Amino acid sequence: MNSSIILSVTTFVYAFASVLYIGSWTFKKEVMAKAGFFVFVAGFTGNTMGIILRWIESYKIGYGHAPFSNMYESLVFFSWTIAALYLFVEIKYKERIIGVFATPLAFLSIAYASLSPSISDKITPLIPALKSNWLIAHVITCFLGYAGFAVAFGFSIMYLIKPVDLEQKDHISGDKKLQNGKKSLYSKLPSLDLMDELIHQMVMFGFLFLTIGIITGSVWANSAWGTYWSWDPKETWSLITWFIYAILLHLRLMRGWHGKRIAWVSIVGFMAVLFTYFGVNLLPGLHSYA
Amino acid sequence: MEKNNSDKKSENILWNTFKSVKLTVVVLLLLAVTSIIGTIIPQNGTEQFYLNRYGEVFFKLFNLLDIFDMYNAWWFILLLVLLSVNIVICSIDKLKTTWKIIFPDKITFNIDRFRRLKDKIELESNSNLEALEAKYLQFIEKNFGFATVEKSEDQNPKGVAIFGESGRWTRIGVYVVHLSVILMLAGGVIGSLWGFKAFVAIPEGLTVSSAFLRDNNRPVELGFDIRCNSFSVTFYDTGQPKEFKSNLTVLEDGKEAFTKDIIVNDPLRYRGLSLYQSSYGIDSAKSATFKITSKQSSMTYSKKMEIGDTIDIPESGGKFTLSEFVHGYNFRGHNLGEGFVGRMYSSNKVDNGQNSESDKNGEIEIYIPIKFPTFDKMRGGEFSFEIEDYEKQYYTGLQVTKDPGVWYVYVGFILMIIGCWITFFMSHQSICVEILEKNSGCKVIVYGTANKNSQGMKLKVGKIASMMDKL
Ligand code: HEM
């Protein structure tokens, strides 16, 4: 049994969990979401074991480094952070259905790592510049930040899909469930207020960790190259992402910016995250991965 | 502020512009959008590069707008200045009122504010009013740190309200965040005004006392001497580099102060300067071992020589001096790469080969390239030279940085993290427990509110209420 196999299996477990969540939403079956939760927890366990095993394997080979050093490892870790954060939210807020758009993101990330032919799952040694504890702190915090934004993105999509008139009916009947048995697809979704709040919570979580990620990266750059900020494209794009979410936080403080509009800004922000992560590799710079 | 004259009014317009969050959004948006330019158009390239890439017209236009060094362009700096002024004015403006909230003369509560809240939890209890009051007051005090009791005014039904709160100070959090932004920007300015970035290459064994500025190549004095004792590079079996290491000695007035190994990620810091391992290269060779083949006897001999050494060629073939190591050698228009230059003195003036011009003493210059071992054979001389092995002499390339602003930036980093943590995850929470007497026992209503994260507060109120129910 090696880590790559465990992680490939994890990919399919995540896929199954996503299918269950989406199924529970489309077929209005709460029980599927419940099952989805347990499958997702199983996937998360596999994901965790895979990462730990890979860490051990790297020591056995003699390279001995934390498994956060190339595209494959970062993608696997990205899905781990998304899963961890999502599970935390589901458990804390006791809302099952919100996983419809968040769980597939955990699946997509690890699926891209496992299935893309251009991403190798080989364990490679670290070049001198990457040998730093700051690297570990940098990668962990950046990906926690990205996970916050990813989950916020999932919630934002959900927010935009939920029709407003239904919500108003919801309000009339109070917080209790609709009395008549006609439950529509959307009445399963949590209230808009809760979604709005959750998006904000996730953005704040993401912002804090992206902030720490940029800071640890900058301290690392200062210890390796003697410059804490050099405006290389990856750095700049992470700053652009940071600006976008800072804008989001301030927009909420201005009258009228809630709900839908914030959901859109959060989607734009996540596009910037994706570009920082994948797009920048097309541009020249110091970062070879992640 | 009174607006009794026009001077004050225009002042107010300026003040109101700079205190507005709208301006913040606009400036941050402009920063985000313009920053993209510098990631698409490579920065600080040569003029020729840009001309080839963008053509004459766009080159002139971009150059005019400082696009090729846009993060130092006046308009980009202006945006950062606007942001700073915005933050300072806004913070001063808001702090005036926030300060009064954080440090009030007397903390007061308004029961009606709580009664209007949508989220509340009602409990029933059989105990009497006084017993509940004592119990819950202690409980709220324990959980929130501050609690007071007020009798309800109308006394119909008879009741009391217990108020509690915590985290009033957390309202300072966003000012900490904003201050940290200012500190980081200030650190950047200090660094660029009083710091420098330079580079120096030191061959093994040599000492230098200055480095060359990255911007303009001008020398800058270090204030001390630095000697590179040795440099080494190791590789993984995959061929990737594993470690670059320089052994450096710092000398003060010619006396050795201390010696340290530096590797990437572990620089040498001394007297406000930091020296980073940034590159390396082959400066020269210390010695080389040659295989000398005699054409006549087909015998081969191995000789180890240092630069400058002279040896007797075997079989009384004359003398050979190893003159120098060079990085390139031109042979009929081809560059043969790194290798050794030597001089051969034949004892008899026979043919020394077609490729070299023998002078009157039978002395010729020969080139022994590293990459082409059979090259010297082609000369067709009596003896041919080939490199068996050689000891490289490296130079180490050091980035030399002085940045007195870095500490402001680092303090900014820490404050930014602390400030964000406070603003995002802590809040000023108030709770109110209203106890109303009923025919038998009491009705208890728990209300809670916070200056942010209402969902979290709702959960907390639920938890508090269920704890109270079990008391
Ligand atoms: C890069 C620059 C800035 C950063 C990183 C930043 C960060 C923040 C953060 C994290 C918050 C808390 C948001 C929340 O509670 O959800 C905040 C609040 C705020 N910011 Fe900024 N900010 C910046 C610039 C500015 C500027 C230039 C202004 C000037 C108007 C400003 C005005 C405010 C105001 C008024 C608040 C709300 C304070 C309150 O809730 O009492 N910010 N800022």
Side-chain angles (χ1 to χ4, degrees):
Chain A
M1 203 63 163
N2 71 24
S3 62
S4 301
I5 296 174
I6 293 186
L7 291 168
S8 308
V9 173
T10 300
T11 310
F12 290 100
V13 178
Y14 276 150
F16 186 40
S18 308
V19 167
L20 284 170
Y21 272 107
I22 295 169
S24 83
W25 187 54
T26 32
F27 303 119
K28 298 155 233 159
K29 293 271 192 296
E30 173 99 31
V31 66
M32 287 180 84
K34 252 184 212 162
F37 174 76
F38 288 108
V39 176
F40 197 62
V41 170
F44 179 65
T45 313
N47 199 341
T48 313
M49 275 166 38
I51 291 173
I52 294 173
L53 202 60
R54 199 176 161 88
W55 202 325
I56 296 169
E57 281 165 10
S58 113
Y59 272 90
K60 279 197 185 136
I61 297 178
Y63 295 150
H65 59 78
F68 311 122
S69 70
N70 58 27
M71 194 66 177
Y72 176 85
E73 289 170 348
S74 74
L75 280 165
V76 167
F77 186 62
F78 189 25
S79 61
W80 187 88
T81 52
I82 295 174
L85 184 61
Y86 173 71
L87 285 174
F88 174 79
V89 173
E90 174 162 340
I91 291 167
K92 179 165 179 200
Y93 290 90
K94 299 182 186 66
E95 289 282 350
R96 295 204 178 284
I97 242 102
I98 53 179
V100 177
F101 293 100
T103 46
L105 295 173
F107 158 68
L108 285 175
S109 172
I110 199 169
Y112 184 42
S114 306
L115 304 175
S116 165
S118 63
I119 294 173
S120 159
D121 63 357
K122 259 193 71 167
I123 298 178
T124 49
L126 286 185
I127 59 165
L130 298 183
K131 280 188 193 158
S132 164
N133 286 334
W134 288 108
L135 168 75
I136 301 178
H138 173 60
V139 175
I140 291 179
T141 48
C142 277
F143 279 94
L144 280 173
Y146 291 176
F149 298 141
V151 176
F153 168 78
F155 291 165
S156 302
I157 301 262
M158 194 163 215
Y159 191 101
L160 294 172
I161 285 182
K162 184 167 180 171
V164 177
D165 54 2
L166 226 140
E167 175 69 12
Q168 280 158 351
K169 258 187 247 156
D170 243 18
H171 270 308
I172 295 162
S173 60
D175 265 352
K176 310 266 179 296
K177 293 275 164 288
L178 295 174
Q179 294 99 331
N180 48 358
K182 291 188 291 174
K183 283 186 192 159
S184 92
L185 182 71
Y186 302 108
S187 67
K188 281 253 156 207
L189 292 183
S191 80
L192 282 180
D193 282 350
L194 176 68
M195 295 306 299
D196 183 54
E197 176 86 25
L198 280 177
I199 293 170
H200 188 216
Q201 290 288 324
M202 291 301 108
V203 167
M204 291 194 301
F205 178 88
F207 190 79
L208 174 70
F209 280 99
L210 179 63
T211 304
I212 303 177
I214 294 176
I215 288 174
T216 48
S218 149
V219 173
W220 169 32
N222 196 32
S223 77
W225 296 289
T227 335
Y228 53 82
W229 195 261
S230 53
W231 292 106
D232 98 308
K234 190 105 188 169
E235 277 174 0
T236 308
W237 269 97
S238 67
L239 188 68
I240 291 169
T241 307
W242 190 77
F243 281 147
I244 294 176
Y245 284 103
I247 291 170
L248 187 155
L249 291 174
H250 287 92
L251 281 175
R252 269 184 75 96
L253 302 167
M254 292 181 7
R255 269 189 321 134
W257 281 80
H258 274 275
K260 272 199 171 156
R261 294 203 238 175
I262 290 292
W264 277 114
V265 181
S266 132
I267 289 173
V268 172
F270 190 60
M271 295 302 116
V273 170
L274 290 182
F275 193 82
T276 310
Y277 191 4
F278 301 109
V280 170
N281 293 338
L282 311 172
L283 308 165
L286 290 168
H287 290 75
S288 51
Y289 74 100
Chain B
M1 224 181 271
E2 273 180 70
K3 301 171 195 166
N4 48 6
N5 60 41
S6 59
D7 243 23
K8 272 249 167 73
K9 231 177 211 151
S10 64
E11 222 173 80
N12 275 345
I13 290 170
L14 210 62
W15 184 270
N16 286 340
T17 313
F18 276 115
K19 78 170 200 200
S20 85
V21 181
K22 274 203 184 102
L23 180 69
T24 314
V25 169
V26 171
V27 173
L28 286 178
L29 199 61
L30 284 173
L31 280 169
V33 171
T34 54
S35 292
I36 297 176
I37 300 172
T39 68
I40 295 169
I41 297 175
Q43 298 290 293
N44 298 308
T46 60
E47 191 175 325
Q48 198 50 48
F49 169 80
Y50 290 125
L51 273 172
N52 290 343
R53 200 171 166 126
Y54 302 108
E56 183 85 35
V57 178
F58 279 103
F59 172 78
K60 281 209 175 116
L61 182 69
F62 287 171
N63 209 12
L64 199 71
L65 295 170
D66 280 347
I67 297 275
F68 300 133
D69 188 17
M70 66 149 280
Y71 301 109
N72 293 313
W74 63 269
W75 50 268
F76 195 77
I77 306 277
L78 181 70
L79 284 176
L80 292 174
V81 170
L82 271 180
L83 183 73
S84 314
V85 175
N86 191 196
I87 292 182
V88 171
I89 303 276
C90 165
S91 297
I92 293 173
D93 194 80
K94 287 214 73 174
L95 198 55
K96 281 189 272 181
T97 45
T98 313
W99 199 257
K100 289 204 196 92
I101 301 177
I102 300 175
F103 303 105
D105 299 332
K106 181 178 176 298
I107 296 176
T108 54
F109 292 96
N110 178 356
I111 181 98
D112 290 324
R113 234 188 84 225
F114 287 99
R115 281 184 181 144
R116 279 198 294 273
L117 295 173
K118 206 174 74 185
D119 296 318
K120 56 187 160 194
I121 292 179
E122 295 191 13
L123 308 170
E124 303 282 338
S125 174
N126 300 327
S127 316
N128 66 9
L129 188 71
E130 284 73 27
L132 284 178
E133 182 188 324
K135 200 163 69 176
Y136 289 158
L137 181 65
Q138 200 198 6
F139 176 77
I140 295 295
E141 190 148 44
K142 205 180 104 213
N143 277 280
F144 284 81
F146 175 87
T148 71
V149 187
E150 276 174 31
K151 296 258 176 305
S152 81
E153 279 158 21
D154 42 13
Q155 292 296 314
N156 182 32
K158 205 174 151 213
V160 293
I162 304 168
F163 300 101
E165 67 156 26
S166 70
R168 197 167 267 270
W169 64 273
T170 62
R171 290 176 183 267
I172 207 81
V174 334
Y175 301 96
V176 176
V177 176
H178 291 155
L179 174 69
S180 76
V181 175
I182 299 294
L183 272 174
M184 292 189 285
L185 289 172
V189 172
I190 291 169
S192 66
L193 288 181
W194 291 291
F196 62 77
K197 290 198 179 9
F199 178 82
V200 61
I202 318 175
E204 285 176 298
L206 294 193
T207 305
V208 298
S209 60
S210 57
F212 300 90
L213 292 179
R214 286 269 188 201
D215 295 340
N216 53 20
N217 249 0
R218 284 215 203 102
V220 47
E221 288 300 316
L222 302 179
F224 52 88
D225 291 343
I226 187 122
R227 185 176 71 217
C228 172
N229 303 313
S230 66
F231 172 85
S232 65
V233 50
T234 51
F235 296 91
Y236 292 104
D237 45 17
T238 58
Q240 274 179 296
K242 186 174 183 178
E243 189 178 78
F244 306 117
K245 182 158 80 184
S246 302
N247 182 269
L248 304 178
T249 297
V250 170
L251 302 110
E252 288 277 13
D253 304 321
K255 280 199 286 289
E256 293 190 7
F258 65 94
T259 297
K260 179 179 158 60
D261 280 335
I262 68 165
I263 57 174
V264 181
N265 275 311
D266 184 18
L268 183 153
R269 298 188 195 278
Y270 186 62
R271 297 220 324 220
L273 297 187
S274 303
L275 287 83
Y276 300 83
Q277 182 67 58
S278 93
S279 65
Y280 77 100
I282 296 168
D283 177 63
S284 175
K286 290 174 195 155
S287 66
T289 310
F290 294 102
K291 191 167 97 184
I292 307 169
T293 310
S294 160
K295 196 171 164 188
Q296 224 165 26
S297 65
S298 298
M299 290 284 286
T300 63
Y301 306 87
S302 183
K303 292 273 179 198
K304 183 169 179 189
M305 302 177 71
E306 312 236 315
I307 303 278
D309 280 0
T310 302
I311 53 161
D312 289 322
I313 301 175
E315 301 176 11
S316 312
K319 282 186 189 312
F320 174 70
T321 305
L322 186 59
S323 326
E324 57 175 338
F325 173 90
V326 293
H327 290 278
Y329 190 87
N330 190 335
F331 175 70
R332 296 184 184 160
H334 295 283
N335 188 351
L336 297 177
E338 290 166 343
F340 293 88
V341 177
R343 296 196 82 77
M344 221 162 86
Y345 314 87
S346 309
S347 50
N348 47 2
K349 293 185 182 179
V350 245
D351 161 44
N352 265 320
Q354 43 178 322
N355 294 339
S356 32
E357 287 132 48
S358 132
D359 66 18
K360 39 204 175 296
N361 305 324
E363 178 184 339
I364 55 161
E365 182 183 281
I366 65 169
Y367 189 61
I368 312 158
I370 290 166
K371 269 203 224 121
F372 309 102
T374 56
F375 176 75
D376 194 48
K377 251 204 188 78
M378 296 189 317
R379 178 168 49 89
E382 287 297 307
F383 295 90
S384 65
F385 286 73
E386 194 181 316
I387 297 165
E388 255 179 15
D389 192 19
Y390 72 107
E391 205 184 333
K392 290 173 190 137
Q393 168 147 25
Y394 290 106
Y395 70 83
T396 182
L398 304 178
Q399 154 103 347
V400 182
T401 306
K402 178 178 168 183
D403 189 352
V406 77
W407 299 111
Y408 295 83
V409 177
Y410 277 17
V411 171
F413 284 171
I414 293 166
L415 288 183
M416 168 72 80
I417 295 172
I418 295 174
C420 278
W421 187 278
I422 296 171
T423 11
F424 294 158
F425 302 129
M426 299 172 103
S427 57
H428 178 192
Q429 306 180 329
S430 316
I431 194 145
C432 168
V433 180
E434 193 173 19
I435 312 171
L436 297 169
E437 227 164 33
K438 283 199 322 185
N439 338 349
S440 64
C442 288
K443 183 165 108 174
V444 180
I445 312 165
V446 187
Y447 313 90
T449 175
N451 66 332
K452 54 200 169 215
N453 190 4
S454 56
Q455 211 63 36
M457 190 59 194
K458 190 174 155 187
L459 293 172
K460 179 156 181 181
V461 171
K463 218 171 85 191
I464 289 284
S466 75
M467 279 162 81
M468 284 170 53
D469 207 18
K470 288 191 203 102
L471 273 180

